[in-house]
Amino acid sequence: MNIGYCRISTDSQNDSLQLQALKDAGCEKIFSDVASGSKTDRVGLRECIEFARSGDVIVAWKLDRIGRSLKDLIETVNTLKEREIGLKIITQQLDTTTPSGMLFFYIMGALAEFEKSLIQERTAAGLKIARARGRLGGRPKALDKKQIAVAESLYADGKTSISQICKTLGISRATFYRNITLKAA
């Protein structure tokens, strides 16, 4: 029996292409997850593997749907192999039920791991360059120094309530307390 596995990383992604490909591949049952590929405990994948019996084949759209790290992929394939369950990857035409398919699996897994490492290196280099240019990244501050000074002086004056200060500056009470040094009035 062909059993499908579909994974998308976020709810905002669409899994219809994967699902259609799995149906076209003759999958009688399909399990799915909404989880990052780097997350090793994916409920849908675990249920898919538990459901499969000897002689069954788990089918996925791409190799990275099963896992991102080479270690995770190899562990998954070894688990399947011990239970005499095959793995087919549609886009890479990978089939672990054959010796050449197993060889191809290890090569593709190593390439996927290499690609992940390159992406991490490029991201780290980009962040380093941005920091050198004075860009810190992350969410922008709700208040600049001038706004903080205004809020502190309004509060110190004692005539304006915290609610009114927050309304005037367009901030929440939590932002006010996080940014303003309160002095006894």
Side-chain angles (χ1 to χ4, degrees):
M1 169 195 273
N2 282 352
I3 303 165
Y5 176 70
C6 168
R7 182 185 62 78
I8 54 175
S9 298
T10 65
D11 285 322
S12 63
Q13 292 179 329
N14 188 333
D15 61 359
S16 59
L17 180 65
Q18 289 183 57
L19 292 172
Q20 187 58 52
L22 294 171
K23 289 174 186 170
D24 292 345
C27 294
E28 297 174 39
K29 184 152 179 70
I30 298 174
F31 294 85
S32 62
D33 275 318
V34 177
S36 168
S38 60
K39 196 174 173 192
T40 55
D41 185 34
R42 295 179 304 256
V43 176
L45 181 60
R46 189 176 66 240
E47 289 175 352
C48 180
I49 293 170
E50 288 171 2
F51 179 82
R53 301 291 173 248
S54 177
D56 288 346
V57 177
I58 294 177
V59 182
W61 169 246
K62 287 177 68 177
L63 192 57
D64 68 356
R65 302 295 90 190
I66 300 296
R68 286 273 172 113
S69 76
L70 183 57
K71 179 182 178 249
D72 183 40
L73 287 168
I74 290 172
E75 285 175 8
T76 301
V77 168
N78 286 338
T79 299
L80 296 176
K81 196 174 180 182
E82 287 171 10
R83 295 186 49 210
E84 298 178 346
I85 299 167
L87 175 67
K88 287 187 181 179
I89 306 299
I90 296 170
T91 57
Q92 285 109 352
Q93 298 177 358
L94 174 79
D95 183 355
T96 64
T97 61
T98 67
S100 60
M102 281 302 292
L103 172 65
F104 189 66
F105 163 77
Y106 288 119
I107 292 169
M108 290 302 294
L111 290 174
E113 184 80 8
F114 178 66
E115 180 183 17
K116 179 182 168 191
S117 296
L118 288 177
I119 290 169
Q120 289 172 336
E121 283 179 11
R122 285 193 300 264
T123 301
L127 289 171
K128 186 176 179 181
I129 290 168
R131 279 189 213 104
R133 292 181 181 165
R135 295 189 190 132
L136 299 176
R139 187 175 180 157
K141 299 286 182 193
L143 297 173
D144 60 26
K145 289 179 183 179
K146 191 174 184 180
Q147 291 171 310
I148 291 172
V150 168
E152 285 178 340
S153 73
L154 287 172
Y155 179 75
D157 186 16
K159 295 178 183 172
T160 311
S161 69
I162 292 175
S163 295
Q164 189 58 43
I165 295 170
C166 291
K167 194 173 190 179
T168 302
L169 293 173
I171 60 171
S172 68
R173 283 180 94 75
T175 300
F176 175 84
Y177 287 115
R178 194 171 33 252
N179 288 279
I180 309 305
T181 305
L182 301 178
K183 298 174 184 102

